[in-house]
Amino acid sequence: MRPRTFIALAFTLFMMSVSALVNASSTAAAEASSDNTLIVEKQRFTLPSFETFNGSTIKQVNVGWEAYGELNDKKDNVILVTHYFSGTSHAAGKYTEKDAQPGYWDAIIGPGKAIDTNKFFVVSVDTLVNLNAYDEHVITTGPASINPDTNKPYGLSFPVVTIRDFVNVQKALLESLGITSLYAVVGPSMGSMQAIDWASAYPDWIPRMISVIGAGESDGWTTAALAHWAMPIKLDSNWNNGNYTKETAPVNGLTASLMLISQHALSPEYFNAQAQSLEFSNLEDAPLNDINTSHSIVNWLTSRAASRAENMDANHLLYLVRACQLFVAGHQQDLKKGLSTIKAKTLFFPATTDLLLMPYLSEHTHAMLEDMGKDTAIDMLSGSLGHLEGVANVQAQQTRIRRFLEEK
Amino acid sequence: MRPRTFIALAFTLFMMSVSALVNASSTAAAEASSDNTLIVEKQRFTLPSFETFNGSTIKQVNVGWEAYGELNDKKDNVILVTHYFSGTSHAAGKYTEKDAQPGYWDAIIGPGKAIDTNKFFVVSVDTLVNLNAYDEHVITTGPASINPDTNKPYGLSFPVVTIRDFVNVQKALLESLGITSLYAVVGPSMGSMQAIDWASAYPDWIPRMISVIGAGESDGWTTAALAHWAMPIKLDSNWNNGNYTKETAPVNGLTASLMLISQHALSPEYFNAQAQSLEFSNLEDAPLNDINTSHSIVNWLTSRAASRAENMDANHLLYLVRACQLFVAGHQQDLKKGLSTIKAKTLFFPATTDLLLMPYLSEHTHAMLEDMGKDTAIDMLSGSLGHLEGVANVQAQQTRIRRFLEEK
């Protein structure tokens, strides 16, 4: 996918024409529409009580989920797809034929595609504290949810949650469907953290794991880098220590945070192509003459971030940052210990131009697994889009993914 | 210099024991102390009126400057050293023998060093809107200065200034000393922008130019990246549209900005060494259990930034960001036109691990000069410190610098 096409996808994903939100609790699989696009339904999974990794209890956990393909009788054809930081469970297909764009990995999930829904039952689940809290297609539980004990939003009284908690909610959902192991788990970025944690925490469930633009842990560098994403929100006086409503939300702080995240997840080549199309010039009149104005490239970044902010919640962003900062495979005392329990054959796809989860993170995790004599492989996404290569252009590795899934 | 040594330098540079600020207007050169360290005096240069690149007038411009070595009779042995974003004119030597650290490039400026003060008269000047507005060793004019027309700080009524304005103030100072051309101009980072602009705007002055961790222009990517540095300040309610005093300053916003700048200017390898010395762990109790706390590596970054913020001004940071965003060599309509006027022989030192002004920026500028048939060369700073290789470890290229300056 070329950058221009990608941005259309990335920034319309959260503003698509709205179809009715279906809260069915059946295992209804997606059906193909007239043009062979999967038509999917968002479903709801509820847990009356959930104990978090840090020992807190959350009542009435609700998350949304989607499925593509058919669950077979043996229930042994399940592939779980775990989503990225600003993503949702909408990994493939469309809600209605009119949708402008399909789910983010539609290029590799579908009938006859690398993750072939003619063979596999593909499941994806909205995480706890999902960023898109106000998206009509997202069901999540987090600081913006109503605390049933107080009838008010949790705000910062919501417990800190971890990647392990996302995994455990997914496991409870799968168990509710009678599933007791997966064929594979696959995810990009924060989804890769979930995939690796699955393989480490529940090794008997996971024979195959694919990590795309991922990391076996947030090292010191990455943990600090994530902290900057939280700063603009905390500085916005509307944030008010997490006590706000949708109407009084810290929109400016959230927008600034999303601007930073967008730049972190893209690349010089992408930005400079955008600058060229804007006819960007250093000596534009407005910024040269007025400190309160900005260059065209900055205005472009701001307006895209402001659009995305509409469906997102600032507190949820802080909790997602924290979940990623706390991440180490298996949630053990160190990476080596976490990786040691993995039984899966693993495959890593870092992106050469990734400035967010840099290739050394995947390379280090892969090398550690190799040193332990485990079945592991690595290959690069070599495009110029930066981190988002793993979201927008993963189909560059579709043959490798298909082969990995076909091998016993 | 090893990372640990560097950080001691970087973060004590602005907190050194205070010596009396000498406002002499003579051309007194630095003298060597008993241990052969140059002992230097800060001097003051005043312009009653200065017209900026965008056509505004600033009354009563004051800047500080330092000199190392002796001006010869022909006044043809002058090397101008231009400083980086958070730097000052304190490029070498100490104010008193008791100073904990010398100026930032002391490793290459001094008697017998690569920039040999036994031969050259080395001058360095505090820029307009210098970040360290409250440092007793810095003299600058910017938003924190008193507007003589109102007897109040300028705040945002201060005009937008450019790298060209920094150059033109330096030129006025040099002319006041009877100097009409330079032997060379040399600078790191934002100092490289000044050096390149000197070579483009005043080609008859500049036979030699060395750009360290620099760029011929802020491309779209870099212009957008710089915008994030301004965001935390503008979100701090104490900023108040630039109207504040030192006592009511937006310290939290400034601290968050400096945290981001520090990370942008360093590298994963540096941060991870620091994390190791802090015994950083992803699952530290505090961040696991309380969303209001942070990991040790984040606390370390915060406390260092808070210390640095004490002598810095938030509005000055906004104006420096803008000057860098507006930069294109020669302040012409495009880079090619700006570079076309250069007569100097040029030498570029990007740093391989630089994440701020990435190597492609220097490589592109060098390639463009080469295409025009100009005398240009490039070599890498190959250490692991990121952008700050060019400040802390420039002596890795001391032989090359010495040779470049010795050649006719």
Side-chain angles (χ1 to χ4, degrees):
Chain A
M1 189 183 293
R2 295 184 320 144
R4 194 67 75 79
T5 314
F6 164 71
I7 212 71
L9 185 162
F11 294 128
T12 59
L13 197 59
F14 310 104
M15 289 173 282
M16 293 180 300
S17 61
V18 175
S19 67
L21 184 61
V22 178
N23 292 332
S25 59
S26 73
T27 61
E31 292 169 27
S33 73
S34 54
D35 66 345
N36 209 28
T37 302
L38 294 174
I39 296 298
V40 300
E41 288 180 335
K42 183 71 67 174
Q43 304 186 59
R44 177 186 294 263
F45 174 66
T46 301
L47 276 172
S49 180
F50 177 76
E51 187 178 343
T52 64
F53 180 76
N54 69 7
S56 306
T57 300
I58 310 172
K59 292 181 189 170
Q60 199 68 17
V61 164
N62 291 290
V63 293
W65 64 284
E66 301 185 6
Y68 325 104
E70 298 285 343
L71 182 60
N72 67 12
D73 292 342
K74 286 183 173 174
K75 301 187 175 182
D76 66 358
N77 70 331
V78 184
I79 294 181
L80 179 69
V81 173
T82 46
H83 70 69
Y84 56 101
F85 189 94
S86 63
T88 74
S89 60
H90 195 40
K94 294 183 171 182
Y95 298 116
T96 77
E97 292 192 35
K98 290 177 193 159
D99 290 358
Q101 298 288 347
Y104 66 91
W105 263 6
D106 193 78
I108 58 163
I109 301 171
K113 296 181 184 174
I115 299 176
D116 188 349
T117 53
N118 292 331
K119 295 181 190 171
F120 297 113
F121 180 64
V122 180
V123 176
S124 188
V125 188
D126 293 329
T127 63
L128 295 171
V129 303
N130 187 287
L131 188 51
N132 309 281
Y134 308 112
D135 184 326
E136 296 196 51
H137 291 290
V138 169
I139 305 169
T140 189
T141 304
S145 304
I146 300 298
N147 179 346
D149 289 342
T150 65
N151 280 322
K152 290 180 183 166
Y154 282 101
L156 300 197
S157 74
F158 198 78
V160 169
V161 288
T162 62
I163 297 291
R164 172 63 57 79
D165 295 310
F166 304 171
V167 165
N168 283 344
V169 170
Q170 291 156 4
K171 184 162 172 276
L173 162 62
L174 294 166
E175 287 171 337
S176 79
L177 302 176
I179 294 164
T180 56
S181 72
L182 296 174
Y183 187 87
V185 60
V186 187
S189 194
M190 187 182 81
S192 153
M193 295 180 179
Q194 296 165 65
I196 295 171
D197 204 49
W198 258 107
S200 171
Y202 304 109
D204 292 333
W205 276 68
I206 310 292
R208 295 168 194 82
M209 190 284 295
I210 304 177
S211 157
V212 179
I213 52 170
E217 66 179 335
S218 287
D219 60 349
W221 168 261
T222 305
T223 299
L226 287 162
H228 304 298
W229 297 6
M231 291 293 173
I233 290 169
K234 291 182 176 178
L235 284 161
D236 186 330
S237 59
N238 275 12
W239 178 60
N240 190 30
N241 262 322
N243 295 311
Y244 57 83
T245 64
K246 177 88 170 87
E247 290 64 40
T248 62
V251 174
N252 292 337
L254 178 57
T255 299
S257 174
L258 294 170
M259 290 171 71
L260 185 56
I261 294 171
S262 284
Q263 184 139 14
H264 214 159
L266 286 161
S267 64
E269 193 163 322
Y270 179 78
F271 267 64
N272 288 334
Q274 189 59 41
Q276 194 163 23
S277 77
L278 292 165
E279 299 182 21
F280 160 77
S281 154
N282 295 100
L283 292 171
E284 289 171 12
D285 275 350
L288 176 61
N289 292 300
D290 183 353
I291 192 72
N292 288 308
T293 64
S294 298
H295 283 87
S296 54
I297 187 73
V298 178
N299 295 337
W300 164 81
L301 187 59
T302 307
S303 73
R304 294 321 183 272
S307 293
R308 294 183 75 194
E310 287 170 15
N311 282 332
M312 294 181 173
D313 182 72
N315 283 336
H316 282 218
L317 195 150
L318 302 185
Y319 278 74
L320 283 172
V321 160
R322 177 56 51 86
C324 293
Q325 290 177 315
L326 291 166
F327 177 64
V328 54
H331 291 70
Q332 296 286 341
Q333 68 197 61
D334 64 37
L335 180 59
K336 195 172 177 183
K337 194 160 179 180
L339 297 180
S340 69
T341 60
I342 291 179
K343 294 181 179 176
K345 123 178 131 154
T346 57
L347 176 57
F348 294 84
F349 290 118
T352 48
T353 54
D354 194 337
L355 294 166
L356 201 173
L357 298 180
M358 296 188 194
Y360 75 84
L361 291 161
S362 288
E363 286 162 0
H364 178 61
T365 304
H366 161 72
M368 222 175 226
L369 286 165
E370 202 165 45
D371 284 350
M372 294 178 194
K374 296 181 193 284
D375 183 350
T376 180
I378 192 164
D379 208 343
M380 303 301 287
L381 292 164
S382 59
S384 65
L385 199 58
H387 186 67
L388 287 181
E389 275 294 322
V391 178
N393 296 333
V394 69
Q395 62 274 21
Q397 287 286 1
Q398 59 186 329
T399 306
R400 189 83 197 261
I401 293 169
R402 183 195 301 275
R403 207 187 320 135
F404 180 85
L405 293 176
E406 281 171 356
E407 287 165 5
K408 286 298 151 199
Chain B
M1 190 182 297
R2 295 183 319 145
R4 195 68 75 80
T5 315
F6 163 71
I7 211 72
L9 186 162
F11 293 129
T12 59
L13 197 60
F14 311 103
M15 291 172 280
M16 293 179 299
S17 62
V18 175
S19 67
L21 185 61
V22 178
N23 291 331
S25 60
S26 72
T27 60
E31 292 168 27
S33 73
S34 53
D35 67 343
N36 208 28
T37 303
L38 293 174
I39 297 297
V40 300
E41 288 180 335
K42 183 71 67 174
Q43 304 185 61
R44 177 185 294 264
F45 174 66
T46 300
L47 277 170
S49 180
F50 176 77
E51 189 179 341
T52 65
F53 180 77
N54 70 7
S56 306
T57 300
I58 310 172
K59 293 182 188 168
Q60 200 67 20
V61 164
N62 291 291
V63 292
W65 64 285
E66 300 185 7
Y68 326 103
E70 299 284 344
L71 182 61
N72 67 11
D73 291 344
K74 287 183 171 173
K75 300 187 176 185
D76 65 359
N77 69 332
V78 184
I79 294 181
L80 179 69
V81 172
T82 46
H83 69 71
Y84 56 101
F85 190 93
S86 63
T88 74
S89 61
H90 195 40
K94 295 182 171 184
Y95 298 117
T96 77
E97 293 192 34
K98 290 178 195 160
D99 290 359
Q101 298 288 347
Y104 66 91
W105 263 6
D106 193 79
I108 58 164
I109 301 171
K113 297 180 183 175
I115 299 177
D116 188 349
T117 53
N118 292 331
K119 296 181 190 171
F120 298 113
F121 180 64
V122 180
V123 176
S124 188
V125 189
D126 294 328
T127 63
L128 295 170
V129 303
N130 187 286
L131 188 51
N132 310 280
Y134 308 113
D135 183 326
E136 296 196 49
H137 292 289
V138 169
I139 306 168
T140 189
T141 304
S145 305
I146 300 298
N147 179 345
D149 288 344
T150 64
N151 279 323
K152 291 180 184 164
Y154 283 101
L156 300 196
S157 74
F158 198 79
V160 169
V161 288
T162 62
I163 298 291
R164 172 63 57 79
D165 295 309
F166 304 171
V167 165
N168 283 343
V169 170
Q170 291 156 4
K171 185 162 173 277
L173 161 63
L174 294 166
E175 287 171 338
S176 78
L177 303 176
I179 294 163
T180 56
S181 72
L182 295 174
Y183 187 87
V185 60
V186 187
S189 194
M190 188 183 81
S192 153
M193 295 179 178
Q194 296 164 67
I196 295 171
D197 203 50
W198 258 108
S200 171
Y202 304 110
D204 292 332
W205 276 67
I206 310 293
R208 295 169 195 82
M209 189 285 294
I210 304 178
S211 157
V212 179
I213 51 169
E217 66 179 335
S218 287
D219 60 349
W221 168 261
T222 305
T223 299
L226 287 162
H228 304 298
W229 298 6
M231 290 293 172
I233 290 169
K234 292 182 175 177
L235 284 163
D236 186 329
S237 58
N238 275 12
W239 179 59
N240 191 29
N241 261 323
N243 295 310
Y244 58 83
T245 64
K246 177 88 170 88
E247 289 65 40
T248 63
V251 175
N252 292 337
L254 178 56
T255 299
S257 174
L258 294 170
M259 289 171 70
L260 185 57
I261 294 171
S262 285
Q263 183 139 15
H264 214 159
L266 286 160
S267 64
E269 193 163 324
Y270 179 78
F271 267 64
N272 288 334
Q274 189 60 41
Q276 195 162 21
S277 77
L278 292 165
E279 299 183 16
F280 159 78
S281 154
N282 295 100
L283 292 171
E284 290 172 12
D285 275 350
L288 176 61
N289 291 299
D290 183 353
I291 192 72
N292 288 308
T293 63
S294 297
H295 282 87
S296 53
I297 187 73
V298 177
N299 294 337
W300 164 81
L301 188 59
T302 307
S303 73
R304 295 323 184 270
S307 292
R308 295 183 74 192
E310 287 170 15
N311 282 331
M312 294 181 172
D313 183 73
N315 282 336
H316 282 219
L317 195 150
L318 302 184
Y319 277 74
L320 282 172
V321 160
R322 179 55 51 86
C324 292
Q325 290 177 316
L326 292 165
F327 177 65
V328 56
H331 291 71
Q332 296 286 340
Q333 69 197 59
D334 63 38
L335 180 59
K336 195 171 177 182
K337 194 159 180 182
L339 296 180
S340 70
T341 60
I342 291 179
K343 295 181 179 174
K345 127 180 128 152
T346 57
L347 176 58
F348 294 85
F349 290 119
T352 48
T353 54
D354 194 336
L355 293 166
L356 201 173
L357 298 180
M358 296 188 194
Y360 75 84
L361 291 161
S362 288
E363 286 162 0
H364 178 62
T365 304
H366 161 72
M368 220 175 228
L369 286 165
E370 201 164 46
D371 284 351
M372 295 176 191
K374 297 183 192 283
D375 183 350
T376 179
I378 191 164
D379 207 343
M380 302 301 286
L381 292 164
S382 59
S384 65
L385 199 58
H387 186 66
L388 287 181
E389 276 294 322
V391 177
N393 297 332
V394 69
Q395 63 274 22
Q397 287 287 359
Q398 60 187 329
T399 305
R400 188 84 196 261
I401 294 168
R402 183 194 303 275
R403 206 187 321 135
F404 180 85
L405 293 176
E406 281 171 356
E407 287 165 6
K408 286 296 151 199

